[in-house]
Amino acid sequence: MNLVLLGPPGSGKGTQGERLQADLRLPYFATGDILRAAVRDETELGRSAKEYMDRGDLVPDEVIVGAIGERIDSAEAADGFILDGFPRTVPQAEALAAKLSELGRQLTGVLLIDADDDEVMRRLGGRRTCAENGHVFHVDFNPPEREGVCDIDGSELIVRDDDRPEVIRHRLDQYHAKTEPLIDFYDHQSLLRRIDGAANPDAVGADIGRTLATLKLEADEAI
Ligand SMILES: [Zn+2]
């Protein structure tokens, strides 16, 4: 099972990715985590990524592609992998296909966990984070007992920079412009499977489970 998770920020990809990792016992490669770990461990990749990150620039495709390529080519990914946050653009998807073909492998499927902009704004924009210890609440889904106060340690709850409406809007614009073309890209290769991310996490998880069972059947038949 070589899987890619696709979808806008706030669609629940991370939550579902972690569940899948446990269910399928496959490594879960989230690009953001990989880059942060590389910087921390001061690998060659980390050093080149850090230069860009320190300047506030996006890490270029070839650096990210190199990092992901290393992971896919490692022993832990011999039975498969789950990618989240990569590919994020069509050139990255092309680089991934080239790397996989070099390794004699191919993608099993691409799961699009979709949510519309209003839903994303509501989910991310409603998050409140404890200023001291990072406990996370949500004004609609998980409100604190007292508005603006952390239930656990009584610290002030703040809106993180990432969760400000204008920042979410910008991330959505980037997603629509750069990542959304991947939907057609993978649909043309019959790899795309659509999951309604607006449902609750258990229902989304069940939908993913059914989709993977079908993908597995198709893959077995193809052999
Ligand atoms: Zn707290």
Side-chain angles (χ1 to χ4, degrees):
M1 279 273 175
N2 302 325
L3 299 173
V4 168
L5 301 183
L6 203 60
S11 70
K13 277 195 322 281
T15 307
Q16 298 300 334
E18 279 163 25
R19 288 182 176 210
L20 275 177
Q21 173 182 34
D23 290 351
L24 301 175
R25 294 200 193 84
L26 290 178
Y28 170 56
F29 300 138
T31 316
D33 297 344
I34 289 173
L35 288 177
R36 278 188 294 275
V39 169
R40 186 192 62 221
D41 298 342
E42 298 182 346
T43 63
E44 196 184 324
L45 161 78
R47 279 192 292 273
S48 56
K50 190 171 185 302
E51 280 178 40
Y52 295 96
M53 290 156 86
D54 282 350
R55 290 198 302 264
D57 289 335
L58 284 178
V59 179
D61 280 359
E62 64 266 26
V63 176
I64 298 178
V65 169
I68 299 291
E70 266 174 32
R71 299 296 173 116
I72 289 173
D73 197 10
S74 69
E76 66 170 327
D79 292 332
F81 53 78
I82 304 160
L83 293 179
D84 176 5
F86 177 90
R88 187 160 276 173
T89 62
V90 170
Q92 287 184 1
E94 286 164 346
L96 174 64
K99 181 71 193 178
L100 286 172
S101 116
E102 191 188 309
L103 299 170
R105 298 167 71 170
Q106 56 189 349
L107 287 180
T108 313
V110 175
L111 305 181
L112 170 64
I113 304 177
D114 215 357
D116 66 29
D117 287 11
D118 288 345
E119 180 69 15
V120 169
M121 292 298 288
R122 197 161 73 95
R123 286 185 185 180
L124 299 183
R127 278 208 300 222
R128 298 293 179 270
T129 307
C130 154
E132 287 302 317
N133 296 303
H135 303 120
V136 180
F137 297 84
H138 192 284
V139 293
D140 297 323
F141 310 129
N142 178 27
E145 244 154 63
R146 274 178 58 207
E147 200 185 316
V149 181
C150 177
D151 285 352
I152 298 158
D153 53 28
S155 302
E156 184 195 359
L157 295 180
I158 57 165
V159 177
R160 278 193 340 186
D161 281 348
D162 274 10
D163 296 334
R164 285 181 305 152
E166 62 273 29
V167 176
I168 302 169
R169 187 75 252 165
H170 180 68
R171 288 170 69 195
L172 279 169
D173 288 346
Q174 296 267 319
Y175 173 77
H176 291 309
K178 294 188 175 156
T179 307
E180 225 164 49
L182 284 177
I183 295 172
D184 278 345
F185 179 88
Y186 283 127
D187 206 12
H188 283 140
Q189 299 173 35
S190 304
L191 285 170
L192 193 81
R193 299 292 181 275
R194 290 172 194 271
I195 310 283
D196 178 11
N200 71 59
D202 288 338
V204 174
D207 193 0
I208 291 175
R210 284 189 297 272
T211 302
L212 290 181
T214 310
L215 274 174
K216 198 168 181 314
L217 271 179
E218 289 168 3
D220 289 347
E221 277 166 12
I223 290 169

